[in-house]
Amino acid sequence: MSVEEATNETSPAASKAAPLGSSVIPIVNKLQDIFAQLGSQSSIELPQVAVVGSQSSGKSSVLEALVGRDFLPRGNDICTRRPLVLQLLQTKSKASGGSDDEWGEFLHLPNNRIYDFAEIRREIEAETNRLVGAVADTGVSDKQIRLKIFSPNVLDITLVDLPGITKVPVGDQPTDIEARIRTMILSYIKQPSCLILAVTPANSDLANSDALQIAGNADPDGHRTIGVITKLDIMDRGTDARNLLLGKVVPLRLGYVGVVNRCQEDILLNRSVKEALSAEEKFFRSRPAYHGLTDRLGIPQLAKKLNQILVQHIKVLLPDLKSRISNALVATAKEHQSYGEITESTAGQGALLLNFLSKYCEAYSSLLEGKSEEMSTSELSGGARIHYIFQSIFVKSLEEVDPCEDLTDDDIRTAIQNATGPRSALFVPDVPFEVLVRRQISRLLDPSLQCARFIFDELVKISHKCMMNELQRFPVLRKRMDEVIGDFLREGLEPSEAMIGDIIDMEMDYINTSHPNFIGGTKAVEAAMHNVKSSRVPHPVARPKDPVEPERTSSSSSASQVKSRSFLGRQANGIVPDQGVVSADAEKAAPPANANDSRWGIPSIFRGGENQNRAVTKENFLNKPLNEAVEDMSQNLSMIYLKEPPAVLRPSETHSEQEDIEIQITKLLLKSYYDIVRKNIEDSVPKAIMHFLVNHTKRELHNVFIKKLYRENLFEEMLQEPDEIAVKRKRTRETLHILQQAYRTLDELPMEAESVCSGGTDTTGVSKHLDLPASSSMYSTSSSPYSASPSTGRRNRRAGDEHQNGYGF
């Protein structure tokens, strides 16, 4: 049977795939051409078939056999040094009203049909040398060469011919040539959208195949790998590849196809690909070992299988592909819109500037009010941060302050004594309380001003977050706007700080002890006396009885009554006197005497004798002459000297019970009134900041922008763009145009092609393989249209008997 007959025999199968392939694969090819304009910038991975294998494994021969023409560079060194994206497009034959012409087109040579395939080979070599040099052993490049082959003798397939895997650098090749090639291959085959055509020569150990090994790394489950076994005609005599093709050595889900390549002698003798296909047919017919493997042998079956699997693979990926293109289109359109358009006229520039200023003010207000479309879900932002500063920082910090933490009891006692002046006070004076409470109120000024400064900083941050992307194209305008809003915020900060100072001054100027929440004097006295008495435990001391004990007892009881009626009575030394009582020392030193000689009801001999002596001395002094009297006086009396007061006077270290009560009263009054003022400050300061700073800025910002920036002589300066913005605008415009083309191209798909995995049957089984669980292995022997089960073999043999398919064994 001739090659033409074999092709005609396969045409029914091809015709079954042709409607599907003609509707899907050309669309994907068109998408590939569209996205090729983006180069490495494209993030859309399209379905394709990558051909991998070791050097001299027969990859190029397989590709030429699929095309039916010689067009690839050949040699002993690395022939494929750049990825070749080969798109095979089936045209109508002459019998179908078309033409039998075959030609190629390079993407870098648009609208240039090349009918001479030898010229196509030379162009591939020239384009390769242009990038990586004319010497074949200098290295490889990952920049693609894109070639379309139009022929009525091919099926729609997209293939990527990758450099062959090499082990040892040759000549001037870099030492890492193997790593470079493996990295390049993996960059293609690791994508889930890429099918892998793993080419392995039959005269090598399949278990050690470089192609299968690297395919297993990228596709461990084997969902996307198709095996091709070449050079079946040069296996050792007595051996065959039947077990390899049946998947008994290394199973593959999508199976294997065996082919026979042209040998080097055929190439040197310029034997055509058609002649090689005829020789391949004769070889398989003459080998009984390959009978019953019709669907696994020959280039026609490989083309048919690749076409069917690629079509099903594309259909499975179409929904996700459309979604990714749509998302990329929206994102690119948004980015392009942010760059805007260039306007040259003054009116256009004015309108553009006014639009920017208005949008900026709207964005500023939205961030403050929590209505921004770009609201963060990971952290507080905008007005929420202002609320946090007010409630969680300012208010909480004030509530943690103890108004008496920096006041000791001695400080309070000193203030009380200083307030009495040169007199002793009968009651606790008001002045110490007012002085101390004003001092504590003044401490609230600094945190209040800090709160205003914090809010100012937050407003500056909010202003920087507004329209960041939009204003990137106008750095001068951004700078001017930042300066204007910075000055405006500082202007709003000044009245805020002044108002805060006035609030503190008002609280200090009038101490309102009539406030309903103020504890008051009566409650403070009761609480203070209770605290002092509960903290002091009485310790009775036994004293010897003396004749005046009853008097002392009565005197003590009367003194207690005086204290209970008025605990505020004081003497100059701060001790309340016991009326009608003489000290114990005087009581011990003075022996009893007559009542007539006693003073204050207490007998005193010494005091009575002293008075008599003083009377005699006075009488003698008056009766003597003046000179004699003075001289006599100086001899009888000694001079009394006083101690000089120290430079710093402090009260005594010991406190009386009365003083403890006075200190407690002062503390209670101080804390009570401080809490009243603190609550007023916690309420008034945020209100002042919101009125003078936050809301004032929000209300007047647009007017300030118009007044400061909307000037015709500033339009050109402020709307000047940097060069990189123009480059980005051009790039995004091109990307947007390409994505729009791709989206429209997807709309060209017919309805039957858009219905993915619904309706028609999957003749290849690739769709169910793509849906297998991740735990499955590429070495699984589960049933497949290409698996080697006995029933499949019997079915194939029966099909071969009933109707010759392929080579008709």
Side-chain angles (χ1 to χ4, degrees):
M1 182 183 296
S2 65
V3 176
E4 289 77 4
E5 293 173 340
T7 305
N8 291 334
E9 290 294 334
T10 60
S11 60
S15 63
K16 293 180 183 179
L20 192 59
S22 60
S23 63
V24 175
I25 295 181
I27 296 296
V28 175
N29 290 343
K30 190 174 181 180
L31 290 176
Q32 287 179 339
D33 292 341
I34 292 172
F35 285 112
Q37 303 173 49
L38 294 177
S40 59
Q41 298 176 1
S42 175
S43 60
I44 307 295
E45 298 295 336
L46 297 173
Q48 57 191 1
V49 179
V51 184
V52 299
S54 59
Q55 187 173 334
S56 301
S57 62
K59 296 188 292 79
S60 299
S61 297
V62 170
L63 293 177
E64 287 181 337
L66 288 172
V67 175
R69 290 298 194 100
D70 293 317
F71 66 98
L72 294 176
R74 290 185 174 274
N76 296 325
D77 297 320
I78 298 179
C79 301
T80 305
R81 293 184 290 153
R82 287 176 59 181
L84 175 65
V85 179
L86 181 63
Q87 297 176 356
L88 304 184
L89 302 175
Q90 187 181 45
T91 60
K92 289 184 179 181
S93 63
K94 189 174 183 180
S96 302
S99 172
D100 291 336
D101 291 341
E102 298 176 310
W103 71 89
E105 293 181 4
F106 288 95
L107 186 64
H108 62 275
L109 299 175
N111 301 323
N112 184 14
R113 292 186 178 184
I114 303 177
Y115 292 90
D116 185 359
F117 281 80
E119 186 179 349
I120 292 177
R121 178 191 298 113
R122 289 191 293 270
E123 180 59 31
I124 294 174
E125 293 175 346
E127 184 64 13
T128 301
N129 296 337
R130 184 183 64 81
L131 198 63
V132 297
V135 182
D137 56 4
T138 55
V140 295
S141 170
D142 59 356
K143 190 172 179 60
Q144 296 177 346
I145 299 175
R146 306 188 68 86
L147 172 64
K148 290 181 181 181
I149 299 294
F150 297 85
S151 171
N153 301 321
V154 298
L155 291 178
D156 293 322
I157 306 172
T158 300
L159 302 163
V160 182
D161 185 20
L162 297 170
I165 301 171
T166 183
K167 295 288 187 180
V168 181
V170 178
D172 294 334
Q173 289 179 352
T175 56
D176 61 343
I177 184 68
E178 181 184 4
R180 288 189 186 182
I181 293 176
R182 287 183 177 272
T183 301
M184 183 190 304
I185 293 174
L186 283 173
S187 67
Y188 282 85
I189 65 176
K190 70 180 180 181
Q191 302 296 336
S193 59
C194 180
L195 294 174
I196 306 171
L197 195 66
V199 179
T200 304
N203 59 349
S204 66
D205 189 356
L206 192 65
N208 297 324
S209 168
D210 291 331
L212 292 178
Q213 183 265 334
I214 198 170
N217 292 339
D219 180 31
D221 297 328
H223 294 164
R224 303 180 284 114
T225 304
I226 306 169
V228 176
I229 300 178
T230 61
K231 303 182 181 181
L232 294 177
D233 56 329
I234 60 174
M235 296 182 68
D236 293 339
R237 290 186 179 182
T239 61
D240 58 70
R242 183 179 183 87
N243 289 337
L244 302 181
L245 296 173
L246 293 175
K248 294 182 178 181
V249 180
V250 180
L252 285 180
R253 293 179 181 275
L254 300 182
Y256 293 87
V257 176
V259 298
V260 174
N261 299 336
R262 289 183 301 168
C263 62
Q264 189 64 27
E265 181 183 2
D266 295 336
I267 296 173
L268 294 176
L269 294 176
N270 292 326
R271 185 174 296 174
S272 68
V273 174
K274 291 183 179 181
E275 294 175 348
L277 289 175
S278 177
E280 180 187 52
E281 172 197 347
K282 293 179 182 178
F283 173 81
F284 288 128
R285 293 181 63 184
S286 63
R287 296 294 190 274
Y290 298 117
H291 289 180
L293 302 179
T294 306
D295 60 340
R296 303 170 190 267
L297 298 173
I299 292 297
Q301 288 297 326
L302 177 61
K304 173 186 171 183
K305 186 170 187 176
L306 280 176
N307 175 269
Q308 292 177 341
I309 292 177
L310 181 59
V311 167
Q312 293 298 329
H313 188 62
I314 291 172
K315 288 187 66 178
V316 170
L317 296 177
L318 266 181
D320 181 63
L321 179 62
K322 295 186 71 172
S323 176
R324 285 187 287 127
I325 291 177
S326 177
N327 293 337
L329 180 62
V330 172
T332 306
K334 187 175 181 180
E335 181 183 0
H336 181 264
Q337 185 179 7
S338 68
Y339 297 133
E341 297 296 337
I342 301 176
T343 54
E344 301 293 342
S345 64
T346 303
Q349 291 177 343
L352 179 62
L353 178 59
L354 186 61
N355 184 40
F356 267 111
L357 298 179
S358 300
K359 285 186 176 181
Y360 183 92
C361 294
E362 291 176 2
Y364 182 83
S365 298
S366 297
L367 280 174
L368 278 177
E369 297 172 0
K371 299 178 181 179
S372 175
E373 296 179 356
E374 301 177 356
M375 183 182 299
S376 173
T377 58
S378 60
E379 62 176 353
L380 295 180
S381 61
R385 290 181 62 90
I386 294 177
H387 180 268
Y388 181 87
I389 292 172
F390 282 151
Q391 301 301 322
S392 300
I393 296 180
F394 177 65
V395 172
K396 189 175 181 180
S397 298
L398 295 189
E399 289 177 350
E400 293 174 353
V401 174
D402 182 5
C404 298
E405 64 182 354
D406 60 343
L407 288 176
T408 64
D409 290 351
D410 289 338
D411 294 337
I412 297 175
R413 186 159 63 106
T414 302
I416 293 173
Q417 292 185 10
N418 286 336
T420 62
R423 304 174 303 277
S424 92
L426 298 177
F427 303 97
V428 177
D430 295 339
V431 174
F433 162 70
E434 293 185 0
V435 170
L436 294 176
V437 81
R438 284 192 177 96
R439 182 189 301 178
Q440 298 308 312
I441 293 174
S442 65
R443 296 177 60 198
L444 299 175
L445 178 61
D446 288 338
S448 300
L449 295 177
Q450 287 179 1
C451 180
R453 177 61 63 174
F454 289 162
I455 301 302
F456 170 83
D457 294 338
E458 287 301 322
L459 293 178
V460 172
K461 292 178 183 178
I462 292 174
S463 69
H464 290 164
K465 292 180 180 179
C466 293
M467 299 180 65
M468 293 178 60
N469 295 331
E470 292 84 348
L471 289 175
Q472 282 182 352
R473 55 183 294 212
F474 301 125
V476 177
L477 176 59
R478 172 93 240 192
K479 182 180 178 181
R480 290 290 186 90
M481 293 177 70
D482 288 343
E483 292 174 354
V484 170
I485 194 171
D487 294 339
F488 185 50
L489 289 174
R490 277 186 286 273
E491 292 175 1
L493 181 62
E494 293 178 1
S496 300
E497 293 178 339
M499 185 62 187
I500 291 172
D502 291 341
I503 292 173
I504 301 297
D505 291 342
M506 288 189 297
E507 295 289 349
M508 294 173 62
D509 284 346
Y510 179 58
I511 308 300
N512 181 19
T513 56
S514 300
H515 195 281
N517 294 335
F518 187 57
I519 189 172
T522 304
K523 292 182 180 179
V525 169
E526 293 175 357
M529 292 183 67
H530 179 269
N531 293 340
V532 172
K533 288 181 179 181
S534 62
S535 63
R536 291 200 174 196
V537 180
H539 298 282
V541 180
R543 297 180 61 186
K545 295 182 179 180
D546 50 50
V548 298
E549 188 66 27
E551 282 185 37
R552 182 169 180 80
T553 302
S554 62
S555 300
S556 299
S557 62
S558 63
S560 300
Q561 293 175 1
V562 173
K563 287 184 182 181
S564 64
R565 288 194 303 268
S566 177
F567 65 91
L568 301 176
R570 298 179 53 88
Q571 204 174 5
N573 58 3
I575 302 175
V576 177
D578 292 336
Q579 297 181 6
V581 179
V582 181
S583 65
D585 295 337
E587 192 176 9
K588 292 178 182 178
N594 295 329
N596 296 332
D597 294 333
S598 65
R599 306 186 71 186
W600 308 99
I602 300 176
S604 177
I605 298 175
F606 298 101
R607 289 185 179 180
E610 182 181 352
N611 292 336
Q612 293 176 2
N613 292 336
R614 288 179 179 175
V616 174
T617 303
K618 182 178 182 180
E619 183 179 356
N620 294 335
F621 177 77
L622 294 175
N623 293 332
K624 290 183 179 182
L626 180 59
N627 295 336
E628 186 177 351
V630 172
E631 182 180 358
D632 186 42
M633 186 177 178
S634 64
Q635 292 176 357
N636 295 331
L637 300 177
S638 61
M639 183 67 67
I640 298 174
Y641 294 97
L642 299 179
K643 291 182 179 180
E644 293 185 3
V648 178
L649 285 175
R650 292 186 176 88
S652 60
E653 295 181 359
T654 58
H655 300 176
S656 66
E657 181 178 350
Q658 176 104 16
E659 288 175 332
D660 287 339
I661 294 174
E662 293 171 356
I663 292 171
Q664 289 297 322
I665 292 172
T666 305
K667 284 186 175 181
L668 289 172
L669 296 176
L670 187 61
K671 289 182 178 179
S672 177
Y673 196 78
Y674 176 84
D675 287 341
I676 295 172
V677 175
R678 174 180 55 79
K679 292 178 181 178
N680 293 339
I681 297 300
E682 290 174 355
D683 183 62
S684 300
V685 168
K687 288 181 178 179
I689 295 173
M690 289 297 297
H691 175 72
F692 289 101
L693 184 58
V694 180
N695 291 333
H696 175 69
T697 305
K698 186 171 62 175
R699 287 190 298 264
E700 300 297 330
L701 181 59
H702 188 266
N703 294 335
V704 172
F705 275 152
I706 296 299
K707 181 179 178 181
K708 300 286 186 180
L709 299 179
Y710 194 74
R711 300 178 182 177
E712 187 174 337
N713 58 336
L714 298 178
F715 288 171
E716 185 175 355
E717 177 187 357
M718 290 189 297
L719 297 179
Q720 185 177 2
E721 289 183 332
D723 295 338
E724 59 267 20
I725 296 298
V727 173
K728 289 180 179 179
R729 182 191 294 109
K730 181 180 179 182
R731 175 180 55 80
T732 53
R733 184 188 295 114
E734 293 173 352
T735 304
L736 181 62
H737 178 67
I738 289 171
L739 290 172
Q740 289 171 343
Q741 282 183 312
Y743 198 78
R744 286 193 294 267
T745 300
L746 287 176
D747 290 340
E748 298 174 6
L749 286 172
M751 295 300 295
E752 63 272 12
E754 291 183 353
S755 57
V756 180
C757 297
S758 61
T761 58
D762 180 5
T763 58
T764 64
V766 69
S767 59
K768 70 176 182 179
H769 291 322
L770 290 171
D771 295 333
L772 284 175
S775 59
S776 60
S777 170
M778 72 178 291
Y779 302 108
S780 171
T781 56
S782 60
S783 62
S784 167
Y786 307 109
S787 61
S789 63
S791 60
T792 304
R794 288 193 297 269
R795 252 195 331 269
N796 290 338
R797 282 194 293 272
R798 286 197 301 270
D801 294 336
E802 295 172 1
H803 178 76
Q804 287 187 345
N805 188 7
Y807 296 110
F809 302 137

